[in-house]
Amino acid sequence: MSTLRLSLAMPLLAAALLPHAFAGSGSGGGRRWFGGGRDGSRRAAAQAAKDAAAAAFYELDTAQQGLRISVETITAMDDSADARRAVEGFAALGRRIDEVSGGYITAVDAHDLDRVELDAAAAGRARTELERARDELVRVKGELDRFEQGLGPLLARAESQLARLAPAVERARAALRDASGALDATREAGFRADHLAARLAALGPELTKLNEGAGRHGATETLRRADQVLREAEAVRAEAAQVPERAAEIDKRLVSLRTRAEALATRAAGVEPVLSELRRRFAAACWRDLQDVPEQAQAAARQAGERLAEAAAARAEQRWPDATSQLATARALLNTADEGVLAAGDRLRRLEAVAKDPQDEIERTRFAVRDAQRLAMAGRSTPDPRDAGPLDAAVARIERAVGILDTGRHPDYWAFLTELEAIRADVGRVVERIRGERGRS
């Protein structure tokens, strides 16, 4: 987080000051003691205050150095607003530490407790000032400790991310090696896989940055890059492994669809006799929509053949997406043509059945209406108007459909069949609504 890089470095005063602060504190320190009685007692008290202040200064400096490491860990791994506030808080504490450290240094420099002529009053002033400096150092140390406690969640998260860093980079490198091996195996099998090679080559600069490390690019950015490289390398490896399977699947589909196209052309030729039978035996309304089926089927078979030829060319050039797309188009064309061819034969069978005995369709529809009426009246003394209206209309529609059969030598059996189908569909929706409402109650 380059924008947050403020100077966390504080003057390392302890190293320079401690020898001075503790000078002469032991029997071998060379301290000269003069006088006794009241002056000696005051001098000893001042020296004790100086030693205590030096110890407090050392503790504060040590704690500051330890906290600096924690803050630097957080800033390296976290660019959140909380992390920025932590940096600002540490900087403010640093200024307070500089202030109280300066007060301590001033107090130490102001009083030479080894002077022969140091009197009781001067020793008393020294003791007072040194004790005040110690108290300030202890107070700021308490602030530092409380601040450190507040950093706990941020530091735990940063350390967790830091622990992920090396394994994440190694996983990314391993994924690149695996992808390269899979690509080599695919090429040895006779497939170019140029697009996969290009994708793998594009990861080269990212690998270079990973190798340069978090010290140059930052831990957060390095983690993000490692995850990205891992995902892309794994995708390349998976696709490289699938290339032979994909080629085999395309070959299989080519053979299957070619067979279907040939069969369709043969079956399309058989539609014309079906249409001739429909024209001879039934009214024009029963077959008019099927007149173009033979021509449409032949055209679809021809177009499907063209798409299959393009798919084969794409397969030979290892343009897998293009081959797959052409195969899908050919299949759609064949499906549509198949539906038309099947519709002609199905139409003739259904019309023959209803012309022979229309009563089966009539009873089937009446049964659906009666069943819906019983359901609508279950548990009720009067029907719900929302149910009664559509069901009463269905009864009337059945009678009108039956009337179609009395319209001459060649009645419109197809209109009769489609109307009864529509009635059953409408009745089914009424039944579905009733059951849905009762299921929720």
Side-chain angles (χ1 to χ4, degrees):
M1 39 196 285
S2 57
T3 59
L4 293 178
R5 286 180 183 165
L6 50 85
S7 176
L8 298 179
M10 306 239 174
L12 300 179
L13 298 172
L17 290 173
L18 286 179
H20 174 66
F22 286 105
S25 61
S27 60
R31 177 183 298 154
R32 294 174 298 158
W33 293 101
F34 299 93
R38 183 179 179 186
D39 286 352
S41 176
R42 291 287 181 87
R43 187 190 297 268
Q47 185 62 47
K50 180 179 180 180
D51 291 345
F57 179 85
Y58 176 76
E59 289 179 5
L60 178 59
D61 183 74
T62 302
Q64 182 187 14
Q65 302 313 313
L67 185 57
R68 177 179 289 111
I69 294 172
S70 297
V71 172
E72 288 174 349
T73 300
I74 291 170
T75 56
M77 303 304 301
D78 193 342
D79 59 357
S80 67
D82 287 342
R84 290 192 292 272
R85 283 192 290 270
V87 172
E88 293 166 1
F90 183 67
L93 269 175
R95 291 189 290 272
R96 290 287 299 121
I97 292 171
D98 285 346
E99 180 182 342
V100 297
S101 297
Y104 162 72
I105 295 168
T106 299
V108 169
D109 289 343
H111 304 285
D112 183 2
L113 301 183
D114 290 330
R115 283 190 302 114
V116 174
E117 63 273 19
L118 183 70
D119 57 23
R125 288 193 300 274
R127 175 186 176 184
T128 299
E129 292 178 16
L130 288 166
E131 286 180 343
R132 185 183 303 119
R134 174 193 173 277
D135 291 342
E136 285 294 298
L137 290 167
V138 170
R139 183 176 60 78
V140 175
K141 171 65 164 51
E143 294 179 17
L144 196 71
D145 291 342
R146 289 189 292 276
F147 181 80
E148 184 174 20
Q149 291 175 0
L151 290 182
L154 279 175
L155 183 59
R157 186 169 64 195
E159 289 176 341
S160 175
Q161 285 185 298
L162 190 61
R164 290 175 48 214
L165 188 59
V169 171
E170 184 51 38
R171 284 195 299 270
R173 290 171 179 158
L176 283 170
R177 289 193 296 270
D178 291 344
S180 179
L183 183 59
D184 289 343
T186 298
R187 285 173 160 172
E188 289 172 3
F191 301 99
R192 293 194 306 272
D194 293 341
H195 65 296
L196 295 178
R199 285 168 58 185
L200 195 59
L203 294 176
E206 299 300 304
L207 177 61
T208 299
K209 292 176 181 178
L210 283 179
N211 290 334
E212 289 171 347
R216 179 168 181 178
H217 299 286
T220 301
E221 178 62 17
T222 300
L223 266 178
R224 184 203 62 77
R225 179 172 288 112
D227 289 342
Q228 178 183 350
V229 169
L230 175 67
R231 288 193 301 272
E232 182 63 15
E234 286 182 340
V236 170
R237 180 198 57 75
E239 290 187 38
Q242 292 170 359
V243 166
E245 298 175 6
R246 193 173 188 181
E249 178 62 23
I250 288 175
D251 291 340
K252 180 180 177 180
R253 292 177 63 188
L254 274 169
V255 172
S256 175
L257 291 175
R258 283 189 184 120
T259 301
R260 277 191 63 186
E262 293 169 0
L264 175 63
T266 301
R267 289 166 51 220
V271 174
E272 191 56 47
V274 173
L275 286 176
S276 178
E277 186 71 7
L278 287 169
R279 295 188 192 102
R280 184 178 67 81
R281 296 176 53 190
F282 299 98
C286 294
W287 47 261
R288 187 179 296 117
D289 60 315
L290 299 175
Q291 285 191 104
D292 297 331
V293 166
E295 181 180 345
Q296 291 170 349
Q298 292 289 354
R302 184 174 59 256
Q303 292 170 5
E306 294 170 356
R307 300 289 84 76
L308 291 174
E310 293 176 7
R315 159 64 180 87
E317 296 170 7
Q318 299 182 26
R319 292 184 286 109
W320 312 119
D322 290 345
T324 301
S325 175
Q326 295 296 343
L327 288 172
T329 301
R331 182 177 181 180
L333 287 166
L334 294 174
N335 286 344
T336 301
D338 276 340
E339 290 173 2
V341 171
L342 290 172
D346 182 66
R347 181 79 57 87
L348 178 59
R349 287 190 296 274
R350 295 184 64 187
L351 291 174
E352 287 177 336
V354 75
K356 182 177 181 181
D357 182 13
Q359 200 61 35
D360 183 61
E361 287 288 328
I362 296 170
E363 288 304 317
R364 180 183 171 197
T365 306
R366 283 176 175 164
F367 176 81
V369 174
R370 287 194 299 270
D371 193 51
Q373 289 171 333
R374 284 192 294 270
L375 178 64
M377 290 301 297
R380 303 178 63 95
S381 57
T382 57
D384 187 325
R386 294 178 301 165
D387 306 330
L391 295 179
D392 289 344
V395 173
R397 288 171 65 188
I398 291 174
E399 298 308 316
R400 287 195 297 272
V402 172
I404 294 175
L405 302 179
D406 299 327
T407 56
R409 183 169 177 269
H410 292 295
D412 189 349
Y413 288 112
W414 188 239
F416 169 76
L417 283 172
T418 54
E419 175 62 5
L420 291 185
E421 285 180 351
I423 293 170
R424 291 194 294 271
D426 290 343
V427 169
R429 282 188 285 272
V430 172
V431 169
E432 183 177 354
R433 182 179 59 76
I434 294 172
R435 288 176 175 165
E437 291 179 353
R438 291 181 182 178
R440 290 191 296 270
S441 62

